[in-house]
Structure formats: C-alpha cells, structure tokens
Amino acid sequence: MKALLLDVGGVVLRSGAEMLGGLGAREPRVRAATDRRGPFGPVADPDWAAMLREEITEREYWARRCAEIDGALGRDWSMPEFMHALYDQAGVDLVRPGAAALVADVRAAGVPVGVLTNDLRAFHGGEPADVHPLFEEVDVLVDASVTGILKPDPRACAIAVGRLGLAPEEIVFVDDMPWNVAGARAAGLRAVQLDLLAPEDAFAVARAALGLPMQAGIRS
C-alpha cells in the first residue's frame, strides 16, 4: 500500500451520531430526539436503521435530525448551523485522536494522505481548514459537495485515485458506511470499514497495510 485515503464524518471527525449525546446534555428540550443516535443509543433509532437498509440517504438522515431538533428548539438552522451546534462542545476535539495520530505517522513516513468525503462543505460550510487545521495537512481533498459526484459512485473514487497518482490497489481507504466501502472495493481500493463503536480497529488495519507501527493507548 502506497497511500492512505480517509472519509471525513465518522472517520476523521467524530460521528455526528456520537456528538448528539452532548447536544442533548446541553439542551434538555431535545433529549428525546438525541437519545436516538444510531449505534450509540440509548434507544432505538428507526431513521438510522432505515439509512443502513439504504431506504434513505445519509443526507436525508441528517436532514430529518436537523428538522426535528430545530422544531424542538424553535430554530431554523441551516445544515452547517446545525452541525456547528452539534460539534461545538467544550473539551471535545472534532477530530478523532486515532485519526490525527494516523495522519501524522503517515505523513512522517512520506506516504501521501487523501480525503474523500461526500459532505464536508455541505455539512460544515466554508473551507476545509475552517473546519479543522488537520485538513491543511492532507495532500488531496475530494469533496462531493464540490464535485457533485457522491460515494459510492465509482467516479468519486476515481477522482481521488487520479489526484493521488497511484493505482487503486495501492490505496488504503477507510470509511464508516458499508455502501461506500463496497463501492471503493468495486473500484479496486483496499477498503476498510470503520465500526463507530470501535474505530481504532480500522486504524490498526490501515497501519498494518501501510507498514506503520501500531499506536497504543489512544481512544477515539
């Protein structure tokens, strides 16, 4: 493997589903909604289940959560405003420590790092560096909010592969959504699915594929 390619939401950034818990803690009026937060519970999340069955898209899932929480708070947030409220939590870094450590070690080894995301600008607004300084450290950033070609369309992978200048089979790609992983595998990449409840496992697989040492003691 000669390059690392990462999804953003759930992989580089903590999952929005994970961050819903903090929003509920700050805003008791939305707790009934934020208790439904995908695999993080504590109650079942039918919309998340529908998304995993591919009955609704990931964007549709978050549009529903935004509308529901807007209604409970009497707000009229845009999606970037909602995401800002979701991720603006004191003492919580947007970026997973394991992802930050992986990117740092990959760059130190002289290996190219790319990002392939569907929703960075659509969800967070502005320029990537405005979301987090880590995005200044990547060699390639492909955002379907800009290109208009969303994963799992193989053309999305082809854009990232082309910009990295490597063959697909030389690239390790990490994503948390099963359809994106399947699409990347169909496009020839070594795709690893990240489990939101155990993200470090996927980072360990990526490290092994790239010949990097394992990282101990990090929790994402």
Side-chain angles (χ1 to χ4, degrees):
M1 299 293 107
K2 296 182 179 179
L4 175 67
L5 186 62
L6 299 171
D7 176 41
V8 171
V11 176
V12 175
L13 303 184
R14 297 179 187 275
S15 168
E18 180 181 353
M19 302 302 287
L20 280 167
L23 180 60
R26 298 197 317 271
E27 294 281 3
R29 290 174 292 170
V30 304
R31 196 161 296 160
T34 60
D35 279 352
R36 289 178 277 107
R37 48 182 186 268
F40 297 97
V43 299
D45 186 345
D47 286 336
W48 187 272
M51 181 183 68
L52 292 181
R53 293 192 300 267
E54 299 185 53
E55 295 170 0
I56 62 172
T57 67
E58 195 170 4
R59 286 186 177 186
E60 287 169 334
Y61 173 83
W62 286 108
R64 291 184 182 188
R65 304 322 306 275
C66 180
E68 183 179 21
I69 290 170
D70 273 3
L73 292 175
R75 304 281 177 83
D76 186 20
W77 278 329
S78 66
M79 184 58 70
E81 287 171 334
F82 171 59
M83 287 292 168
H84 179 75
L86 195 59
Y87 279 90
D88 186 19
Q89 298 188 26
V92 179
D93 194 346
L94 275 65
V95 169
R96 292 191 185 282
L102 176 59
V103 169
D105 289 351
V106 168
R107 288 188 61 81
V111 174
V113 182
V115 163
L116 175 58
T117 174
N118 276 355
D119 299 307
L120 186 57
R121 182 171 293 178
F123 279 16
H124 296 279
E127 296 301 317
D130 297 332
V131 178
H132 198 280
L134 181 140
F135 292 112
E136 294 184 317
E137 301 177 22
V138 303
D139 301 289
V140 168
L141 194 153
V142 179
D143 183 358
S145 302
V146 177
T147 67
I149 303 172
L150 276 67
K151 300 174 291 182
D153 189 321
R155 294 176 298 166
C157 290
I159 294 171
V161 169
R163 292 185 186 177
L164 285 167
L166 296 168
E169 60 270 18
E170 296 176 315
I171 300 169
V172 182
F173 175 54
V174 182
D175 199 293
D176 62 314
M177 291 299 165
W179 48 85
N180 292 336
V181 171
R185 287 174 180 165
L189 284 75
R190 167 71 184 279
V192 179
Q193 183 170 342
L194 179 142
D195 181 344
L196 293 175
L197 297 178
E200 290 305 319
D201 293 349
F203 298 146
V205 172
R207 284 179 174 277
L210 291 162
L212 296 173
M214 292 297 111
Q215 193 84 20
I218 290 181
R219 291 287 181 269
S220 288

